[in-house]
Amino acid sequence: MKVLAFELKNETGLSVSGAWLEAYVIGGYNNVRRPGVLICPGGAYAGLCADREGEWIALNYNAAGYHAAVLHYSVAPARAPLQLREAAAAVRLMKEKAGEWGMMDDGIAVCGFSAGGHLAASLSTMWNCDRVFSREQIDSGLHRPDAAVLCYPVITCGEKGHADSFCNLCGGDRELAELFSVEKRVNDRTPPTFLWHTFEDDVVPVENSLMYAWALKENGVPFELHIYPTGGHGLGLVADERAWTIPPFKRNYGWLKLSVDFLNEKFGVI
């Protein structure tokens, strides 16, 4: 396994921002092409929880046979849609590197946690938004993810939303926040999605995942949704002391295997 770092650039070769991609590439064998996953850590668009929701997640997807990459995207005071353009550039880079890395160019998922889940959902629903991307970019489809994994995601700017995330992302611009209320952006080109949340989440209420799942159903997009009855926010893989103070948390390790099963079926991986 190799760990590589890339500065994100646009189609003209210029840096899109200070964002960068940390790639965890599995060594190839027998010319087998593996799927890949782009990971967006959470942090309320104020910082990145890259320790718990970055490298550790990437290594676990590696163990499941996936190439992985962690997106170190911009946070406040940077405003939308910069982060969305960075995520798009990351997917485009992964597709461009597919042959070199031994990766499926049509088997790249985006996985996000909390605010990173919002970013992953934004890319899933707004990759074809002409208020953010050019017609040429949309027509190429190079930045469209092929599937999504959303972990306790921030979704709505409404009553059940996470106000701090939207404040950091949009700076109090209500019109911009409405644009990025992604339950309203789901369409029939949104990729198949795996979601999980906890009933007890008192930071980003479970209604966020429920709203998104309902929007997926209304638009005929396949999804899988898991609601765990116990546990708070920001669990990741609960690889810390909280797993022992509240034993039911240990069950949340299961979400990653379930997500891999979902993605394997989508990508035709045996």
Side-chain angles (χ1 to χ4, degrees):
M1 188 265 290
K2 296 182 292 185
V3 181
L4 308 171
F6 298 90
E7 181 184 25
L8 292 175
K9 298 180 180 181
N10 62 21
E11 293 90 337
T12 65
L14 297 176
S15 173
V16 293
S17 63
W20 60 286
L21 194 69
E22 186 176 20
Y24 297 75
V25 180
I26 305 173
Y29 64 95
N30 297 331
N31 296 317
V32 173
R33 288 206 170 196
R34 300 172 180 271
V37 57
L38 173 67
I39 298 161
C40 304
Y45 288 113
L48 295 181
C49 299
D51 52 348
R52 185 172 69 252
E53 298 169 348
E55 179 184 39
W56 184 237
I57 304 299
L59 293 174
N60 275 270
Y61 272 114
N62 281 167
Y66 279 61
H67 299 295
V70 178
L71 175 60
H72 296 258
Y73 56 89
S74 297
V75 297
R79 305 298 187 213
L82 177 60
Q83 296 86 348
L84 176 53
R85 292 192 175 118
E86 292 169 347
V91 170
R92 185 170 61 248
L93 174 63
M94 291 176 73
K95 291 191 177 184
E96 290 171 353
K97 294 287 186 181
E100 179 183 337
W101 293 356
M103 183 167 57
M104 298 176 178
D105 54 12
D106 59 352
I108 297 176
V110 60
C111 171
F113 299 80
S114 192
H118 177 267
L119 181 54
S122 297
L123 185 59
S124 296
T125 59
M126 299 176 69
W127 67 269
N128 55 356
C129 176
D130 59 12
R131 293 179 61 177
V132 180
F133 301 106
S134 69
R135 176 47 53 188
E136 183 179 3
Q137 289 172 320
I138 294 170
D139 289 344
S140 76
L142 288 175
H143 60 282
R144 178 186 183 271
D146 301 297
V149 176
L150 307 183
C151 311
Y152 40 88
V154 175
I155 295 294
T156 183
C157 73
E159 178 186 356
K160 297 296 183 178
H162 186 245
D164 286 350
S165 290
F166 275 93
C167 181
N168 291 327
L169 179 67
C170 303
D173 185 330
R174 188 64 191 178
E175 182 179 352
L176 187 60
E178 286 289 343
L179 176 64
F180 278 84
S181 195
V182 289
E183 81 279 12
K184 302 174 184 177
R185 305 279 83 81
V186 175
N187 56 74
D188 61 3
R189 299 296 306 280
T190 299
T193 302
F194 177 98
L195 305 101
W196 74 274
H197 221 113
T198 67
F199 177 80
E200 293 181 342
D201 194 328
D202 59 356
V203 177
V204 177
V206 68
E207 284 88 347
N208 282 261
S209 284
L210 295 173
M211 288 178 187
Y212 197 82
W214 180 254
L216 292 169
K217 179 183 182 300
E218 289 293 283
N219 285 275
V221 179
F223 70 91
E224 182 171 328
L225 170 65
H226 295 268
I227 306 296
Y228 294 95
T230 59
H233 186 70
L235 299 180
L237 284 171
V238 283
D240 58 32
E241 67 279 1
R242 290 176 299 171
W244 307 110
T245 57
I246 306 179
F249 278 14
K250 287 187 288 185
R251 77 180 68 185
N252 292 320
Y253 278 99
W255 74 261
L256 192 136
K257 181 183 184 303
L258 292 171
S259 74
V260 169
D261 291 343
F262 177 86
L263 295 175
N264 283 349
E265 182 175 357
K266 159 64 182 171
F267 298 147
V269 176
I270 301 174

